[in-house]
Amino acid sequence: MDKPLLEVNDLHVAFKTHGGSVKAVRGVSFTLHHGETLAIVGESGCGKSVTSLAVMGLIPQPPGKITAGSIRFKDRELTRFKSKEMRKIQGVDISMIFQDPMTALNPTLTIGTQLTEGIIQNKTARIEARQKALNMLDLVGIPNPKERLKQYPHQLSGGMRQRIVIAMALICEPDLVIADEPTTALDVTIQAQILELFDRIQKETGVAMIMITHDLGVVAKVADRIAVMYAGKIVEMGSKRDIFYRSEHPYTRALLNSVVRLDLPSAALKPISGTPPDLFSPPVGCAFADRCPFAMEVCDRVQPPSATVDDHHIVDCWLQDKRASRFVQKVEKKENEGELI
Ligand code: SF4
């Protein structure tokens, strides 16, 4: 396999507050290759957006800080970059698609100005920039592109605005696009169109993508690999098949069980009881222990090690330790007898 485009290794990000330091990301590692889509999923506050902001160099400093770890992009160590150097990469080599197109676009500037300002700053001639903008609008499926360039964001529908935001992210031909909940603000039919658009653009341009989402339906459509985050850590990572059909981590399974299944009308929704831990003082052991029906004594005391289930399927859970199987059988028996909720 070719060298990864992006290598994140043991990344830690913390935010200083009056109440202490919030350890938002606690040792995240992953790689991403050209043309690949990695989806990062998890509950709100699990650290998925902070991880992507760290890659993009957008952690507000202070109060935020990358306290340890490395982010290598095209063989360059981004954590050592000054903000001036980082600005040359932002929007050019790595670009970002935000959740709400209305806040991502400037309401006082025309679509044409917003689309072309990045490439004009990048020393592209105006005529060439305009032509590129027209090509981009065509690529993202906007009808009458010449007319659209003269319009303002409020003159377009929500779906159109999100297409414009995608065009803005792609116009400098980046190697990596980070999409943070790109379809959350859209209704389901537009959502489906935007996901199809991502798929088509990726096939046509070969851009790599990190998709941040809490929506497993989105993940099922776009991801090649999935990283499941909990309390600032990746607890399971694998191919789409590994996560949807062969998940091993109790949190991943709980997450899958908490999704509405239209194909199983009688299946009751199983919410995940409890709440994530306080990241001011994260637990010394497994952060999911308080909510996990399989928790053992060791889980409270020691961080679970990373176990490789097969090839690229990695799980951080003590259940992967061979000695745990007898304990699991006992818990499953109790569950079947209705003793555990
Ligand atoms: Fe549950 Fe223990 Fe695995 Fe954590 S390490 S998910 S508490 S079994």
Side-chain angles (χ1 to χ4, degrees):
M1 200 179 239
D2 59 333
K3 222 168 175 253
L5 173 70
L6 175 72
E7 289 174 87
V8 176
N9 200 9
D10 198 23
L11 181 71
H12 291 251
V13 183
F15 290 86
K16 271 209 168 120
T17 70
H18 292 302
S21 173
V22 182
K23 285 97 186 163
V25 173
R26 307 184 298 132
V28 161
S29 302
F30 63 87
T31 55
L32 185 71
H33 289 84
H34 287 276
E36 190 183 23
T37 297
L38 172 74
I40 305 183
V41 297
E43 287 166 276
S44 301
C46 70
K48 53 192 191 306
S49 290
V50 176
T51 301
S52 65
L53 289 175
V55 172
M56 190 74 192
L58 290 177
I59 296 289
Q61 297 189 43
K65 192 174 179 200
I66 294 177
T67 51
S70 126
I71 302 171
R72 286 192 79 75
F73 175 72
K74 295 209 294 199
D75 266 340
R76 290 172 292 176
E77 180 53 57
L78 299 189
T79 54
R80 292 205 202 107
F81 274 28
K82 302 258 179 294
S83 24
K84 198 174 160 194
E85 292 168 289
M86 206 57 218
R87 271 200 295 278
K88 288 187 191 154
I89 287 186
Q90 289 160 347
V92 180
D93 295 290
I94 309 176
S95 60
M96 194 142 186
I97 298 168
F98 291 96
Q99 187 180 123
D100 184 357
M102 207 48 203
T103 48
L105 294 169
N106 185 333
T108 65
L109 297 176
T110 63
I111 300 301
T113 308
Q114 298 190 60
L115 265 175
T116 54
E117 64 182 351
I119 35 178
I120 287 171
Q121 268 174 26
N122 233 4
K123 302 193 174 59
T124 304
R126 271 176 198 284
I127 298 179
E128 200 188 321
R130 189 171 185 277
Q131 190 51 52
K132 249 189 152 177
L134 290 170
N135 294 345
M136 265 305 138
L137 291 184
D138 199 38
L139 178 74
V140 299
I142 298 265
N144 304 324
K146 278 187 185 160
E147 282 307 304
R148 302 297 178 198
L149 287 185
K150 294 182 223 152
Q151 291 185 311
Y152 289 86
H154 73 270
Q155 294 174 289
L156 305 176
S157 67
M160 286 263 213
R161 285 197 289 261
Q162 192 58 309
R163 283 171 195 263
I164 301 286
V165 171
I166 295 168
M168 276 168 68
L170 293 171
I171 199 158
C172 290
E173 296 168 25
D175 295 294
L176 169 62
V177 170
I178 301 173
D180 191 355
E181 305 273 8
T183 55
T184 305
L186 305 172
D187 66 51
V188 278
T189 46
I190 306 296
Q191 213 175 70
Q193 289 172 14
I194 296 293
L195 293 179
E196 271 164 30
L197 178 64
F198 276 132
D199 192 43
R200 182 164 60 78
I201 285 171
Q202 202 166 28
K203 282 189 185 117
E204 285 178 28
T205 64
V207 67
M209 203 173 279
I210 297 178
M211 180 77 73
I212 309 293
T213 183
H214 65 273
D215 185 335
L216 290 169
V218 169
V219 171
K221 266 198 168 270
V222 299
D224 296 310
R225 280 188 304 130
I226 301 170
V228 181
M229 275 192 85
Y230 185 76
K233 283 178 174 288
I234 291 178
V235 293
E236 183 162 13
M237 183 155 56
S239 67
K240 194 155 61 175
R241 190 163 283 275
D242 291 334
I243 299 298
F244 279 100
Y245 299 107
R246 299 189 286 252
S247 61
E248 292 280 342
H249 197 284
Y251 176 64
T252 310
R253 289 188 184 175
L255 209 57
L256 291 168
N257 284 337
S258 63
V259 173
V260 182
R261 294 279 304 268
L262 293 177
D263 55 330
L264 299 174
S266 58
L269 265 187
K270 288 188 191 160
I272 309 173
S273 58
T275 51
D278 180 359
L279 292 182
F280 279 108
S281 52
V284 282
C286 172
F288 192 56
D290 279 353
R291 307 168 82 182
C292 179
F294 300 103
M296 301 166 275
E297 207 182 323
V298 65
C299 304
D300 276 325
R301 297 185 175 191
V302 190
Q303 284 284 345
S306 276
T308 306
V309 180
D310 61 48
D311 255 4
H312 300 290
H313 187 184
I314 296 162
V315 184
D316 286 19
C317 175
W318 278 113
L319 291 178
Q320 297 305 312
D321 191 302
K322 285 193 177 69
R323 289 162 293 180
S325 62
R326 276 214 330 263
F327 180 82
V328 175
Q329 281 165 10
K330 255 194 199 159
V331 174
E332 280 179 346
K333 189 164 172 260
K334 277 187 182 177
E335 263 194 337
N336 291 339
E337 288 164 359
E339 285 183 36
L340 292 176
I341 297 164

